[in-house]
Amino acid sequence: MSLVAIYLKLALQRPGCPICHLRAESELRYIRSLLWESINDPPTRGHFIRSLGYCPEHTWQIGLLEQEEFGVPLGNVILYEHLSSVILERLALYTRRMGWTHQPWWRRLLQAIWPRSWQPLAARELQPEAPCRVCQMGEESEQSYLAWLLRELSGPEDQFRTAYAASEGLCLRHLRQGLAAADRTVESGARFLVETTRQRLGTLHHDLSEFERKSTWNYRHEAKTEAEKMALWRALTFSGGNPQGKPDDN
Ligand SMILES: [Zn+2]
Ligand SMILES: [Zn+2]
């Protein structure tokens, strides 16, 4: 069995969406290797500067992780020392473009005669030229895991289908992505995904309506089952994917 298949099987045994778990793990692996060995790697740094840092979520994840695991957040200090100098340069460029720096007299006169009220204040200098590298890695990994999952579910052996049926299944976003990337060669896997989701969602819908019914005045004495108590959690996981940072806490 390949390493990917082993990762997939392990993820299917955990609560929540398996692809959300695998994506979070890939991102974490990337972040750890960044902090261990790639802070000064030129291509890595180049991307970090082009993307003007990471997205808000990964900015905090990397900052807090280094503090927690390494004690001294030197990698982050090096990154943001560089980034802040770049942003300072960009802001200087923007200020000049807006005409907010010291102007020769004829320019000031020109502006008084012809105010540039039409000119937008948007700072294109602050636009990132690349997406967050960690998000990009996460997206690549979820695409390849989804392709693997569909191939395994379409295969002749039952072990993956059994493992998938016993799991909590894909969240809505990953189901959509998996189907979008699938073709007729993995049609039986796609069909299996849709059928198991329909069954699971049917049960979820029933549990949610029972929760609702038992919350009304007339039926308030009927005890809610464990499945009904967890129904909203399951609905949130299906709609929003695994909760950030705490994949196994439920
Ligand atoms: Zn997911
Ligand atoms: Zn990100």
Side-chain angles (χ1 to χ4, degrees):
M1 200 187 270
S2 75
L3 204 58
V4 180
I6 293 170
Y7 282 153
L8 261 174
K9 268 207 133 174
L10 288 173
L12 286 170
Q13 289 163 15
R14 298 169 66 183
C17 167
I19 302 294
C20 282
H21 283 306
L22 291 165
R23 175 178 173 150
E25 280 169 11
S26 302
E27 290 178 353
L28 195 60
R29 270 197 300 277
Y30 175 79
I31 292 171
R32 290 221 168 94
S33 86
L34 164 82
L35 293 172
W36 272 111
E37 56 199 356
S38 308
I39 289 291
N40 292 316
D41 167 56
T44 307
R45 182 71 64 83
H47 192 115
F48 175 75
I49 296 299
R50 280 199 307 286
S51 55
L52 296 181
Y54 300 109
C55 70
E57 180 199 328
H58 290 126
T59 298
W60 280 100
Q61 190 183 4
I62 296 169
L64 297 176
L65 190 111
E66 189 177 35
Q67 184 75 55
E68 277 164 21
E69 294 193 0
F70 296 64
V72 184
L74 191 57
N76 275 274
V77 168
I78 295 170
L79 287 179
Y80 291 103
E81 187 271 337
H82 188 174
L83 183 63
S84 55
S85 73
V86 170
I87 294 177
L88 273 171
E89 283 167 22
R90 303 277 182 95
L91 285 174
L93 284 174
Y94 174 66
T95 310
R96 223 171 303 148
R97 186 164 67 82
M98 286 295 118
W100 295 342
T101 46
H102 182 68
Q103 303 274 332
W105 67 268
W106 56 269
R107 261 214 150 159
R108 284 197 304 255
L109 184 68
L110 207 64
Q111 275 172 25
I113 300 166
W114 184 37
R116 294 176 299 171
S117 51
W118 50 269
Q119 193 179 44
L121 296 185
R124 59 170 183 253
E125 291 81 357
L126 298 181
Q127 280 301 317
E129 291 153 30
C132 164
R133 183 66 185 131
V134 190
C135 283
Q136 220 179 22
M137 294 290 298
E139 279 156 28
E140 283 166 20
S141 85
E142 68 189 359
Q143 289 294 353
S144 64
Y145 279 120
L146 276 167
W148 258 90
L149 178 66
L150 272 151
R151 260 202 310 276
E152 296 292 343
L153 292 177
S154 309
E157 286 172 35
D158 263 342
Q159 52 164 337
F160 257 90
R161 283 187 287 275
T162 312
Y164 184 84
S167 80
E168 287 183 20
L170 296 182
C171 66
L172 179 59
R173 186 170 70 89
H174 284 132
L175 175 69
R176 188 166 48 224
Q177 270 182 25
L179 295 176
D183 59 22
R184 293 277 173 183
T185 59
V186 289
E187 187 175 355
S188 61
R191 191 173 162 185
F192 179 82
L193 275 184
V194 172
E195 276 163 9
T196 46
T197 306
R198 287 182 67 183
Q199 281 165 13
R200 202 170 284 132
L201 218 54
T203 313
L204 175 63
H205 177 254
H206 173 266
D207 291 341
L208 288 167
S209 13
E210 279 298 277
F211 187 103
E212 208 180 323
R213 185 181 66 82
K214 290 178 185 176
S215 301
T216 59
W217 183 256
N218 287 350
Y219 300 98
R220 69 191 186 282
H221 300 302
E222 274 187 51
K224 295 182 181 97
T225 65
E226 279 311 304
E228 287 158 12
K229 285 182 198 159
M230 290 304 290
L232 180 60
W233 179 272
R234 278 148 55 210
L236 293 177
T237 307
F238 179 69
S239 284
N242 295 350
Q244 293 290 331
K246 33 170 77 175
D248 277 345
D249 285 2
N250 55 330

